[in-house]
Amino acid sequence: MRKNVTLSLFVTSLLVLGACQNSAPENESGTAESEHEASFSLGKMNDFYIGETLNDQSLIHSFIPENTDKSPVIMVPGLGLGASIYESTPDNRNGWAYDFVAAGYPVYTVDTSDLASAGISEEEAKATLSKWDSESIWSRWGLGSGPGEAYADGQFPAEQFDQFYSSIPMQIKLASNDSLRKATGKTGSRSGSGDETGKSSGGNSQEVENMIQLLEETGPSILLVHSMGGEIGYEVARQRPELVKGLVAIEPVGSPTDESEVKYTYEDIPYLGVYGDYLESRNQVSRLEAVQTTSNIIEDNGGTSDVIELTEEGMTGNSHLMMMDQNSDVIAGKITDWLDSAIQ
């Protein structure tokens, strides 16, 4: 099933204007502070669904720049998070979707099929809805040492935490009984049970199917995956490597570490891992080691791969939600610069 929801010309014009206003803030002398000034303008925006039934659908938001031949970037969020993490920040700045468009990349952001924001069928309305709790995510995602206790050098806009928390969508939690699974048509769930050392459980099988369907429509594209969304990206690459032109992994779960698998599936896919700060306190070290292993195997076999550790580049204080951090545009610039050099 595919349902198109085209934005009105008026709304699109306002959003384009907002993108132009926010993408390169001016200093007192009137010159743009960002090194990555917008060279492409946003030509088209559209929302549509991917999935065979209302129960299975993912909501896709597209941001298409004018006059570009660069490969599309599909941005998959982490567990229990939605497309909004890529579209705007809690302190009212444009998100990565606009930064990547300014660099010439068509962008598709995803509300995954397990989120209420992707639409709820009558059957799914009977399921349990849940949401990340507002206290644990402070330390879990590197926002601060505890609820409301932001790190002194933290990059997350902690003063707007309530704005961010309000944007987190409800997640559909299916009961374990077979009758409800049959009723809702769900074939998998993003339970968060991936192996922290890098072994993937395959992710949400429904979302893998949906992302493959999207790739078949967009053509070979770059997958940008965050956290548990990594499992989806890695599994898509396993099943349809010819559709994946590059893989950008933002602190992912499931980065493959088996040498034979990496050589067979991933060595011809340009691969970039990106990591922020406070890794030890939020148990991210093993994930980083897995990404480094994946990258090393790809590079040792003649492929294109790299890992950006922001702290190694003098950028401290970045959280697990680096796409919303105060220096998010700088990080986006590092990623798009790498893509420009790595993707042919």
Side-chain angles (χ1 to χ4, degrees):
M1 178 187 73
R2 175 172 176 139
K3 177 182 177 182
N4 286 293
V5 186
T6 305
L7 299 179
S8 71
L9 178 62
F10 174 71
V11 173
T12 302
S13 299
L14 290 180
L15 287 168
V16 173
L17 178 60
C20 295
Q21 290 175 333
N22 292 333
S23 60
E26 293 186 349
N27 58 26
E28 292 181 358
S29 64
T31 59
E33 294 178 347
S34 173
E35 296 179 359
H36 303 274
E37 296 183 47
S39 57
F40 292 85
S41 60
L42 181 58
K44 181 181 180 182
M45 298 175 67
N46 191 36
D47 291 351
F48 58 92
Y49 294 106
I50 289 288
E52 297 304 319
T53 71
L54 184 61
N55 291 320
D56 298 333
Q57 70 186 16
S58 301
L59 177 58
I60 312 299
H61 313 262
S62 65
F63 304 79
I64 311 300
E66 295 180 330
N67 304 319
T68 184
D69 58 359
K70 293 187 179 183
S71 299
V73 177
I74 296 172
M75 299 183 174
V76 182
L79 178 68
L81 295 169
S84 62
I85 67 170
Y86 296 119
E87 296 171 2
S88 63
T89 67
D91 53 347
N92 200 32
R93 290 174 290 113
N94 284 327
W96 277 6
Y98 293 98
D99 293 331
F100 277 63
V101 165
Y105 288 93
V107 172
Y108 297 84
T109 62
V110 180
D111 279 311
T112 53
S113 58
D114 58 342
L115 300 178
S117 53
I120 301 180
S121 67
E122 292 183 40
E123 294 87 354
E124 287 176 316
K126 301 173 184 177
T128 300
L129 299 180
S130 67
K131 183 175 181 175
W132 283 104
D133 72 272
S134 61
E135 296 188 353
S136 69
I137 59 180
W138 281 84
S139 58
R140 179 189 292 267
W141 292 342
L143 313 185
S145 57
E149 300 174 1
Y151 290 123
D153 65 342
Q155 294 284 356
F156 185 81
E159 291 183 358
Q160 286 79 32
F161 176 81
D162 289 345
Q163 184 78 11
F164 160 67
Y165 190 71
S166 296
S167 73
I168 298 178
M170 300 298 290
Q171 186 180 23
I172 302 167
K173 291 286 188 179
L174 299 177
S176 59
N177 64 80
D178 293 337
S179 60
L180 185 53
R181 286 188 180 275
K182 183 176 180 181
T184 59
K186 296 293 183 183
T187 57
S189 65
R190 302 173 72 191
S191 63
S193 59
D195 187 337
E196 293 292 315
T197 64
K199 183 179 179 182
S200 174
S201 64
N204 179 342
S205 58
Q206 181 61 59
E207 205 58 41
V208 170
E209 293 175 15
N210 288 358
M211 291 305 97
I212 290 174
Q213 182 181 339
L214 177 59
L215 285 164
E216 289 174 339
E217 295 198 17
T218 64
S221 301
I222 300 157
L223 292 178
L224 187 151
V225 294
H226 173 243
S227 195
M228 190 65 70
E231 290 198 327
I232 296 170
Y234 296 125
E235 185 61 25
V236 169
R238 288 186 186 96
Q239 294 187 26
R240 298 293 300 276
E242 79 281 4
L243 291 176
V244 182
K245 291 208 60 178
L247 189 54
V248 178
I250 310 298
E251 299 191 351
V253 170
S255 193
T257 56
D258 180 81
E259 184 171 1
S260 61
E261 179 192 15
V262 175
K263 289 172 63 176
Y264 179 77
T265 301
Y266 301 97
E267 71 175 6
D268 293 328
I269 299 175
Y271 182 72
L272 177 66
V274 188
Y275 272 83
D277 207 344
Y278 322 116
L279 300 187
E280 290 187 5
S281 64
R282 53 191 178 91
N283 299 317
Q284 290 281 331
V285 174
S286 60
R287 292 193 193 182
L288 172 59
E289 291 172 346
V291 168
Q292 289 171 329
T293 298
T294 308
S295 179
N296 290 339
I297 295 171
I298 292 173
E299 192 170 16
D300 290 345
N301 286 276
T304 301
S305 184
D306 201 359
V307 179
I308 297 176
E309 294 183 64
L310 297 174
T311 55
E312 296 295 315
E313 302 196 11
M315 297 172 63
T316 61
N318 281 110
S319 71
H320 189 50
L321 300 170
M322 63 183 71
M323 68 288 295
M324 305 182 98
D325 285 346
Q326 295 173 92
N327 59 348
S328 61
D329 59 334
V330 178
I331 300 170
K334 289 183 177 293
I335 296 173
T336 55
D337 284 349
W338 186 88
L339 290 174
D340 287 345
S341 64
I343 306 296
Q344 302 302 320

